[in-house]
Amino acid sequence: MTEAQIMNLKKERSRLLDAWRVASASQKNSILMRIADIDEELEKYQPKKAPSNRKFTKNNIKLLKRV
């Protein structure tokens, strides 16, 4: 994956977080799932030394849905 593609994913993730803040309750889950997908993709290409700041995992989202 090129550096430009990685930057585009990061921009999309940022836009999705902004959208999540104003989304209705029914839309929030799908937005979080897309963010989790982006996080998984970015983890593949980040150096192993970098600490992971991933907050949204699919497992965490499933737990939130139960509450």
Side-chain angles (χ1 to χ4, degrees):
M1 182 173 277
T2 68
E3 191 66 31
Q5 291 172 319
I6 292 171
M7 291 304 295
N8 285 336
L9 280 176
K10 288 180 179 181
K11 286 179 186 176
E12 180 181 357
R13 186 183 190 283
S14 177
R15 285 191 303 263
L16 286 169
L17 282 173
D18 291 340
W20 181 84
R21 289 181 186 102
V22 297
S24 67
S26 62
Q27 295 172 329
K28 285 188 178 201
N29 188 52
S30 61
I31 293 171
L32 290 179
M33 292 299 289
R34 179 63 185 136
I35 291 171
D37 290 341
I38 290 172
D39 286 346
E40 286 177 3
E41 191 68 25
L42 288 173
E43 281 181 355
K44 292 178 189 176
Y45 299 99
Q46 287 181 341
K48 298 293 180 190
K49 296 177 186 175
S52 176
N53 61 354
R54 185 172 170 198
K55 296 178 184 175
F56 303 110
T57 62
K58 291 181 181 177
N59 190 39
N60 289 346
I61 294 168
K62 289 177 186 174
L63 291 173
L64 287 172
K65 284 176 66 176
R66 292 183 190 167
V67 174

